[in-house]
Amino acid sequence: MTSNPADAAPGARPRRPRHVLILGGTTEARRLAAEVADAPGLRVTSSLAGRVAEPRLPAGQVRIGGFGGPEGLARWLREQQVDAVIDATHPFAGTISFNAARAAATAHVPLLALRRPGWVPGPGDRWHWAGSLDEAAGLLPALGQRIFLTTGRMGLAAFAHLTEQWFLVRSVDAPEPPAPPHMEVLLDRGPFSVAGEAELLRGHRIDVVVTKDSGAGATAAKLTAAREAGLPVVVVRRPAAPDGVPVVPDPAAALAWLSTTLG
């Protein structure tokens, strides 16, 4: 990213730094924020939803909490003179992505989605795809009784009616009810190793793994461990992205988009 030569013209008023809003919370969002914060002529604000008690804070300015829907976000974009928005939220954070699309269109601010590629099954994988958490829950009685649930703490209600199964639930923060009646909670944050995941599966006698297709490298080890153990994995598909929003797979491509969009 280079500065605009016009900024250095004799007698010209210094141009304000271009303001980039990153809707964050992911590893890619933190990497991108660090790059933008170091780029001349740019300033960055990262917005975090506030669902994690102790989030890993990115470089630059940080705001935590919601905007009040698409109307509130559009108002914030105008008030803060935002020049570009990058939606680098979790692939399953569907509500904020659609709010961002509406808000950016209303405020006439360019919007990009940064989405890491999803997981792809390989030889030996026993994956069962599901379109939602409810569909995933419906598959479990036919697959096993001891389930390793790694879909996050926000969606446990979809599994609360399963009274015959036992769940090992892993999340960063403690989940809240409704939840399955028979479960153990494991508070932990990735990255995880294949050896560690394999030991966890053996130690808890897991016979089914449930995950979302987050595509995160930090949590992919469970898929390898499940394949090596011959276990079935229920994978919840990602929700559709908003129409008309360009998508890139990594921070480098997002930086290139910023350079083109902001000149």
Side-chain angles (χ1 to χ4, degrees), residues 119-128 222-228 230-233:
W119 288 319
V120 178
D125 282 321
R126 298 173 55 196
W127 289 13
H128 301 261
K222 63 192 169 191
L223 301 175
T224 302
R227 178 174 63 247
E228 293 177 349
L231 300 182
V233 180

Side-chain angles (χ1 to χ4, degrees), residues 86 108 114 135 150 158 163 209 232 238 247 250:
I86 298 180
H108 304 290
L114 169 55
E135 186 177 333
T150 66
T163 59
V209 177
R238 297 178 177 189
V247 180
D250 53 49

Side-chain angles (χ1 to χ4, degrees), residues 20-236:
V20 179
L21 172 65
I22 297 176
L23 303 174
T26 60
T27 300
E28 292 78 13
R30 289 191 296 274
R31 286 171 51 199
L32 179 61
E35 295 282 355
V36 176
D38 286 341
L42 298 180
R43 72 181 181 97
V44 60
T45 299
S46 294
S47 175
L48 308 180
R51 292 179 177 175
V52 177
E54 297 182 5
R56 296 171 177 171
L57 298 181
Q61 295 179 312
V62 178
R63 71 175 304 280
I64 297 178
F67 291 93
E71 295 80 9
L73 177 53
R75 183 168 55 252
W76 194 91
L77 295 177
R78 295 191 188 100
E79 292 174 350
Q80 300 299 318
Q81 295 182 290
V82 172
D83 297 287
V85 180
I86 298 180
D87 173 15
T89 55
H90 191 278
F92 284 83
T95 299
I96 184 59
S97 293
F98 280 88
N99 286 352
R102 289 178 56 189
T106 299
H108 304 290
V109 175
L111 169 66
L112 177 76
L114 169 55
R115 293 286 182 270
R116 58 189 174 231
W119 288 319
V120 178
D125 282 321
R126 298 173 55 196
W127 289 13
H128 301 261
W129 290 96
S132 65
L133 290 176
D134 288 331
E135 186 177 333
L139 296 175
L140 292 180
L143 294 175
Q145 296 297 308
R146 297 182 67 83
I147 294 100
F148 182 29
L149 189 60
T150 66
T151 55
R153 67 187 180 91
M154 304 301 291
L156 289 188
F159 304 89
H161 67 286
L162 295 176
T163 59
E164 301 299 321
Q165 284 72 32
W166 179 88
F167 291 83
L168 176 64
V169 177
R170 183 167 68 192
S171 63
V172 176
D173 293 316
E176 298 178 357
H182 308 298
M183 73 173 186
E184 177 181 333
V185 176
L186 176 62
L187 300 182
D188 205 353
R189 190 201 303 258
F192 303 106
S193 68
V194 174
E197 297 290 68
E199 177 59 33
L200 185 148
L201 296 178
R202 286 193 299 268
H204 290 85
R205 296 180 289 116
I206 298 298
D207 47 28
V208 188
V209 177
V210 183
T211 184
K212 293 177 177 177
D213 181 21
S214 68
T219 57
K222 63 192 169 191
L223 301 175
T224 302
R227 178 174 63 247
E228 293 177 349
L231 300 182
V233 180
V234 177
V235 184
V236 181

